[in-house]
Amino acid sequence: MSALNANLYGVLQSGFPKNRQAVAIETPTRVHTWQDVESLSGRMAAWLASTGIAPGSRVAVQVEKSPEALMLYLATLRAGFVYLPLNTAYQEAEVAYFLSDAQPAVVICTEASRHWCEPLALQHGAQHVHTLEADGSGSLMRALEGLPTAFETVHCNPGDLATILYTSGTTGRSKGAMLTHGNLGANALTLKDFWGWRQDDVLLHMLPIFHVHGLFVAANGALLAGARMIWLPRLDIDQALRELPRCTMMMGVPTYYVRLLADPRFDRALCRNMRLFISGSAPLLEDTFKEFRARTGMTILERYGMSETNMNTSNPCDPALGERLAGTVGPALPGVAVRVVGDDGQPLPAGQPGHVQVRGPNVFSGYWRMPEKTREEFTDDGWFRTGDIGVFGGAGIPDHYLSIVGRSKDLIISGGYNVYPKEIELVLDAMPGVQESAVFGVPHPDYGESVMAVVVPREGAGLDLASMQAELKVRLARFKVPRAIVEIQALPRNTMGKVQKNMLRQQYADPS
Ligand code: MLC
Ligand code: AMP
């Protein structure tokens, strides 16, 4: 055992303000002090420890956003278990896969989903199933009654597993990215310095907390800084406009900025106390970047990351380190190595696009129970293959700035949510009368990209496209369901037989 405790909770706690009566989290109806953060996460950790579940057990959580849900994340860290957050949009069939793969010992769901979630959880070996609601009520909270608020955070080594984040795969099968206490701690500390987080920052937190962006970049960042969070359940432009004047920071996927700009009330005066707007998870259009600057006088900081790596690159916060440039994701973060290589694996000079690879303390330890997949995604010399196509430098851009110019993985990003076409194609292909299908992204003014499908009928079969879409809505999270399904007679293929999705994207591109 190393002397230093690398438990991420301890790292975050080191930044809590001395005055534990200061406000840590404020929702439209409730206020939680730093003392509350310590005592509620302590009590939840005490409950987790009291269950007697084995070290390394997974705690799977599919609940609405609430301060209590954040405390459950902290409690899981404190007690040394592995936090597994699930998108609330996932349907029963999707959750069934995650539970069968991760075999969590504890599952926390909502009262509304308990009737299907509890039997599934028990079937896959869960020992405890509880509910937690958006207002902080639920059977989990009742189970805490009488437990102490003090809890000694469990000792962890940097390589101990802290969380598993499922990311879909190009094969249609989701993979659990395993992130360690060391991965998350290193990235949080780096971002604290690089973005100049301060205790008097006030973060407008509107992102969901089941992904890297809302949970690690935003919430870990504010916790480590000892900064207050204005905690909204989701993106709500009316509420955002009300809260902005007392905030200093905001993070969002590009859709958040598109929607702010679409509201004529959004102006410079509302941003008078803001010091930093951060965008990520999907490409920020140059138009959005420029319009934002013209409207507010502020320059959005774009950064680049992923579930497997947390944050890799960021445009500078400190002007002394350089300008924030439209269309780029900035230089590699301190301590993170980023390279662009050709198909032969050799590093390319600035100006030449290639495969983005990453190495550093932020890079995950592998995919849960998928050693072969893990091996495939790393080079022999330890670089992680991101599946993104990037280029350093270029016209008017310094050579150490990276731009993401494409993806080698077949992925659609809709409103910051990743959609892997293969997963949807597998469901479509299994439907009666379907010969084959192709799913691809088309430009969308609000979501950046939206999902579209073409299907080829079997000879003589008639397809009912509306009922196919309805069936998809039962099987898959809504954000994955194609907004349009079109029947065609044959998929365009190249001479190798590969479906030419570029042609489909061009043909069906929404001109708006
Ligand atoms: C919701 N819907 C979406 C959607 N979000 N459809 C496509 N793409 C999306 N992203 C659907 C709902 O299912 C519903 O469908 C309808 O749209 C309206 O629902 P809503 O709740 O009112 O949604 P809306 O306000 O439009 O939500 C859009 C959004 C939200 C952009 C605010 O999706 C969001 O908060 N996205 C953030 C995602 C995120 O945090 N990504 C980070 C990943 S981490 P129906 O059919 O019921 O009408 C990562 C790493 C990194 O990538 O670098 O950060
Ligand atoms: P996820 O697997 O959900 O973590 O999504 C990670 C992916 O989102 C990356 O591999 C990129 O393709 C994409 N991404 C994240 N940030 C950016 C950005 N600033 N610009 C372009 N793509 C991004």
mmCIF file of all heavy atoms in Angstrom, residues 28 64-65 88 134 204-208 231-237 239-240 256 259 417:
data_model
loop_
_atom_site.group_PDB
_atom_site.id
_atom_site.type_symbol
_atom_site.label_atom_id
_atom_site.label_comp_id
_atom_site.label_asym_id
_atom_site.label_seq_id
_atom_site.Cartn_x
_atom_site.Cartn_y
_atom_site.Cartn_z
ATOM 1 N N PRO A 28 -32.906 25.236 -7.694
ATOM 2 C CA PRO A 28 -33.946 26.270 -7.623
ATOM 3 C C PRO A 28 -34.732 26.222 -6.315
ATOM 4 O O PRO A 28 -35.343 27.213 -5.914
ATOM 5 C CB PRO A 28 -34.833 25.931 -8.821
ATOM 6 C CG PRO A 28 -33.908 25.256 -9.795
ATOM 7 C CD PRO A 28 -32.945 24.471 -8.951
ATOM 8 N N GLU A 64 -32.597 10.435 -11.985
ATOM 9 C CA GLU A 64 -32.601 11.831 -12.450
ATOM 10 C C GLU A 64 -31.529 12.615 -11.698
ATOM 11 O O GLU A 64 -31.126 12.249 -10.599
ATOM 12 C CB GLU A 64 -33.976 12.467 -12.193
ATOM 13 C CG GLU A 64 -35.134 11.825 -12.959
ATOM 14 C CD GLU A 64 -34.968 11.889 -14.464
ATOM 15 O OE1 GLU A 64 -34.282 12.807 -14.960
ATOM 16 O OE2 GLU A 64 -35.518 11.002 -15.152
ATOM 17 N N LYS A 65 -31.150 13.731 -12.296
ATOM 18 C CA LYS A 65 -30.112 14.571 -11.686
ATOM 19 C C LYS A 65 -30.618 15.192 -10.369
ATOM 20 O O LYS A 65 -31.721 15.745 -10.331
ATOM 21 C CB LYS A 65 -29.742 15.674 -12.680
ATOM 22 C CG LYS A 65 -28.629 16.594 -12.233
ATOM 23 C CD LYS A 65 -28.297 17.571 -13.355
ATOM 24 C CE LYS A 65 -27.280 18.605 -12.922
ATOM 25 N NZ LYS A 65 -26.995 19.590 -13.988
ATOM 26 N N THR A 88 -30.257 8.329 -18.252
ATOM 27 C CA THR A 88 -31.663 8.108 -17.881
ATOM 28 C C THR A 88 -32.520 7.796 -19.105
ATOM 29 O O THR A 88 -33.648 7.323 -18.961
ATOM 30 C CB THR A 88 -32.227 9.352 -17.168
ATOM 31 O OG1 THR A 88 -31.828 10.507 -17.911
ATOM 32 C CG2 THR A 88 -31.697 9.475 -15.759
ATOM 33 N N ALA A 134 -35.724 12.685 -8.073
ATOM 34 C CA ALA A 134 -35.118 13.986 -8.347
ATOM 35 C C ALA A 134 -35.220 14.936 -7.145
ATOM 36 O O ALA A 134 -34.367 15.812 -6.964
ATOM 37 C CB ALA A 134 -35.785 14.612 -9.571
ATOM 38 N N LEU A 204 -22.484 27.462 -13.518
ATOM 39 C CA LEU A 204 -23.856 27.142 -13.931
ATOM 40 C C LEU A 204 -23.824 25.713 -14.468
ATOM 41 O O LEU A 204 -23.299 25.456 -15.555
ATOM 42 C CB LEU A 204 -24.316 28.141 -15.000
ATOM 43 C CG LEU A 204 -25.745 27.963 -15.500
ATOM 44 C CD1 LEU A 204 -26.750 27.953 -14.351
ATOM 45 C CD2 LEU A 204 -26.111 29.070 -16.495
ATOM 46 N N HIS A 205 -24.369 24.780 -13.677
ATOM 47 C CA HIS A 205 -24.291 23.349 -14.012
ATOM 48 C C HIS A 205 -25.647 22.879 -14.536
ATOM 49 O O HIS A 205 -26.589 22.695 -13.765
ATOM 50 C CB HIS A 205 -23.876 22.550 -12.765
ATOM 51 C CG HIS A 205 -23.461 21.143 -13.092
ATOM 52 N ND1 HIS A 205 -24.289 20.252 -13.746
ATOM 53 C CD2 HIS A 205 -22.302 20.471 -12.883
ATOM 54 C CE1 HIS A 205 -23.646 19.103 -13.921
ATOM 55 N NE2 HIS A 205 -22.443 19.213 -13.408
ATOM 56 N N MET A 206 -25.712 22.654 -15.850
ATOM 57 C CA MET A 206 -26.985 22.220 -16.451
ATOM 58 C C MET A 206 -26.841 20.891 -17.177
ATOM 59 O O MET A 206 -27.791 20.399 -17.755
ATOM 60 C CB MET A 206 -27.465 23.294 -17.445
ATOM 61 C CG MET A 206 -27.647 24.663 -16.823
ATOM 62 S SD MET A 206 -28.349 25.855 -17.955
ATOM 63 C CE MET A 206 -26.939 26.239 -18.992
ATOM 64 N N LEU A 207 -25.634 20.342 -17.193
ATOM 65 C CA LEU A 207 -25.384 19.104 -17.933
ATOM 66 C C LEU A 207 -25.885 17.888 -17.151
ATOM 67 O O LEU A 207 -25.946 17.931 -15.918
ATOM 68 C CB LEU A 207 -23.870 18.949 -18.157
ATOM 69 C CG LEU A 207 -23.250 19.860 -19.209
ATOM 70 C CD1 LEU A 207 -21.759 20.026 -18.963
ATOM 71 C CD2 LEU A 207 -23.507 19.309 -20.614
ATOM 72 N N PRO A 208 -26.183 16.803 -17.860
ATOM 73 C CA PRO A 208 -26.486 15.563 -17.146
ATOM 74 C C PRO A 208 -25.244 15.058 -16.409
ATOM 75 O O PRO A 208 -24.111 15.390 -16.803
ATOM 76 C CB PRO A 208 -26.894 14.593 -18.259
ATOM 77 C CG PRO A 208 -26.374 15.168 -19.530
ATOM 78 C CD PRO A 208 -26.241 16.656 -19.325
ATOM 79 N N TRP A 231 -27.213 24.471 -9.651
ATOM 80 C CA TRP A 231 -27.473 23.108 -10.119
ATOM 81 C C TRP A 231 -28.867 23.033 -10.723
ATOM 82 O O TRP A 231 -29.855 23.037 -9.999
ATOM 83 C CB TRP A 231 -27.349 22.212 -8.888
ATOM 84 C CG TRP A 231 -27.348 20.748 -9.057
ATOM 85 C CD1 TRP A 231 -28.405 19.918 -8.857
ATOM 86 C CD2 TRP A 231 -26.237 19.905 -9.383
ATOM 87 N NE1 TRP A 231 -28.024 18.623 -9.050
ATOM 88 C CE2 TRP A 231 -26.692 18.582 -9.363
ATOM 89 C CE3 TRP A 231 -24.888 20.153 -9.687
ATOM 90 C CZ2 TRP A 231 -25.867 17.495 -9.636
ATOM 91 C CZ3 TRP A 231 -24.071 19.067 -9.954
ATOM 92 C CH2 TRP A 231 -24.561 17.760 -9.935
ATOM 93 N N LEU A 232 -28.947 23.025 -12.043
ATOM 94 C CA LEU A 232 -30.251 22.928 -12.706
ATOM 95 C C LEU A 232 -30.429 21.505 -13.251
ATOM 96 O O LEU A 232 -29.448 20.885 -13.680
ATOM 97 C CB LEU A 232 -30.357 23.940 -13.845
ATOM 98 C CG LEU A 232 -30.152 25.414 -13.453
ATOM 99 C CD1 LEU A 232 -30.379 26.339 -14.655
ATOM 100 C CD2 LEU A 232 -31.089 25.809 -12.319
ATOM 101 N N PRO A 233 -31.649 21.005 -13.242
ATOM 102 C CA PRO A 233 -31.834 19.605 -13.649
ATOM 103 C C PRO A 233 -31.479 19.340 -15.099
ATOM 104 O O PRO A 233 -31.108 18.233 -15.463
ATOM 105 C CB PRO A 233 -33.330 19.339 -13.407
ATOM 106 C CG PRO A 233 -33.957 20.653 -13.132
ATOM 107 C CD PRO A 233 -32.890 21.625 -12.747
ATOM 108 N N ARG A 234 -31.608 20.358 -15.938
ATOM 109 C CA ARG A 234 -31.291 20.175 -17.364
ATOM 110 C C ARG A 234 -31.119 21.550 -17.999
ATOM 111 O O ARG A 234 -31.314 22.567 -17.323
ATOM 112 C CB ARG A 234 -32.411 19.420 -18.086
ATOM 113 C CG ARG A 234 -33.769 20.122 -18.079
ATOM 114 C CD ARG A 234 -34.837 19.273 -18.702
ATOM 115 N NE ARG A 234 -34.951 17.992 -18.026
ATOM 116 C CZ ARG A 234 -35.622 17.814 -16.888
ATOM 117 N NH1 ARG A 234 -36.249 18.823 -16.308
ATOM 118 N NH2 ARG A 234 -35.670 16.638 -16.309
ATOM 119 N N LEU A 235 -30.808 21.537 -19.299
ATOM 120 C CA LEU A 235 -30.722 22.815 -20.007
ATOM 121 C C LEU A 235 -32.121 23.422 -20.096
ATOM 122 O O LEU A 235 -33.030 22.822 -20.658
ATOM 123 C CB LEU A 235 -30.163 22.605 -21.419
ATOM 124 C CG LEU A 235 -30.162 23.863 -22.290
ATOM 125 C CD1 LEU A 235 -29.252 24.936 -21.718
ATOM 126 C CD2 LEU A 235 -29.736 23.537 -23.714
ATOM 127 N N ASP A 236 -32.246 24.606 -19.529
ATOM 128 C CA ASP A 236 -33.518 25.317 -19.565
ATOM 129 C C ASP A 236 -33.120 26.777 -19.775
ATOM 130 O O ASP A 236 -32.531 27.412 -18.888
ATOM 131 C CB ASP A 236 -34.238 25.105 -18.221
ATOM 132 C CG ASP A 236 -35.504 25.928 -18.118
ATOM 133 O OD1 ASP A 236 -35.541 27.058 -18.655
ATOM 134 O OD2 ASP A 236 -36.455 25.456 -17.475
ATOM 135 N N ILE A 237 -33.417 27.286 -20.979
ATOM 136 C CA ILE A 237 -32.884 28.601 -21.331
ATOM 137 C C ILE A 237 -33.442 29.700 -20.426
ATOM 138 O O ILE A 237 -32.718 30.606 -20.013
ATOM 139 C CB ILE A 237 -33.134 28.896 -22.831
ATOM 140 C CG1 ILE A 237 -32.305 27.933 -23.691
ATOM 141 C CG2 ILE A 237 -32.809 30.345 -23.185
ATOM 142 C CD1 ILE A 237 -30.795 28.064 -23.535
ATOM 143 N N GLN A 239 -34.331 29.511 -17.278
ATOM 144 C CA GLN A 239 -33.611 29.463 -15.995
ATOM 145 C C GLN A 239 -32.160 29.911 -16.172
ATOM 146 O O GLN A 239 -31.608 30.624 -15.332
ATOM 147 C CB GLN A 239 -33.634 28.055 -15.429
ATOM 148 C CG GLN A 239 -34.833 27.820 -14.527
ATOM 149 C CD GLN A 239 -34.839 26.408 -13.982
ATOM 150 O OE1 GLN A 239 -34.612 25.456 -14.725
ATOM 151 N NE2 GLN A 239 -35.099 26.263 -12.708
ATOM 152 N N ALA A 240 -31.564 29.489 -17.287
ATOM 153 C CA ALA A 240 -30.159 29.858 -17.526
ATOM 154 C C ALA A 240 -30.029 31.376 -17.597
ATOM 155 O O ALA A 240 -29.113 31.956 -17.003
ATOM 156 C CB ALA A 240 -29.661 29.222 -18.813
ATOM 157 N N TYR A 256 -25.964 23.834 -26.324
ATOM 158 C CA TYR A 256 -26.268 24.797 -25.260
ATOM 159 C C TYR A 256 -26.016 26.226 -25.763
ATOM 160 O O TYR A 256 -26.780 27.151 -25.473
ATOM 161 C CB TYR A 256 -25.401 24.524 -24.019
ATOM 162 C CG TYR A 256 -25.821 23.311 -23.201
ATOM 163 C CD1 TYR A 256 -26.229 22.135 -23.816
ATOM 164 C CD2 TYR A 256 -25.807 23.336 -21.813
ATOM 165 C CE1 TYR A 256 -26.602 21.023 -23.079
ATOM 166 C CE2 TYR A 256 -26.180 22.226 -21.056
ATOM 167 C CZ TYR A 256 -26.567 21.071 -21.698
ATOM 168 O OH TYR A 256 -26.941 19.982 -20.958
ATOM 169 N N ARG A 259 -28.537 27.278 -28.496
ATOM 170 C CA ARG A 259 -29.837 27.655 -27.925
ATOM 171 C C ARG A 259 -29.782 28.995 -27.188
ATOM 172 O O ARG A 259 -30.733 29.763 -27.230
ATOM 173 C CB ARG A 259 -30.348 26.554 -26.997
ATOM 174 C CG ARG A 259 -30.771 25.343 -27.791
ATOM 175 C CD ARG A 259 -31.657 24.430 -27.005
ATOM 176 N NE ARG A 259 -31.851 23.195 -27.753
ATOM 177 C CZ ARG A 259 -32.418 22.115 -27.262
ATOM 178 N NH1 ARG A 259 -32.867 22.112 -26.029
ATOM 179 N NH2 ARG A 259 -32.567 21.039 -28.006
ATOM 180 N N TYR A 417 -24.701 13.615 -27.387
ATOM 181 C CA TYR A 417 -24.844 12.186 -27.085
ATOM 182 C C TYR A 417 -24.293 11.378 -28.251
ATOM 183 O O TYR A 417 -24.612 11.663 -29.412
ATOM 184 C CB TYR A 417 -26.307 11.803 -26.875
ATOM 185 C CG TYR A 417 -26.885 12.239 -25.554
ATOM 186 C CD1 TYR A 417 -28.186 12.702 -25.466
ATOM 187 C CD2 TYR A 417 -26.134 12.172 -24.391
ATOM 188 C CE1 TYR A 417 -28.733 13.103 -24.250
ATOM 189 C CE2 TYR A 417 -26.668 12.571 -23.175
ATOM 190 C CZ TYR A 417 -27.967 13.034 -23.113
ATOM 191 O OH TYR A 417 -28.488 13.429 -21.913
#
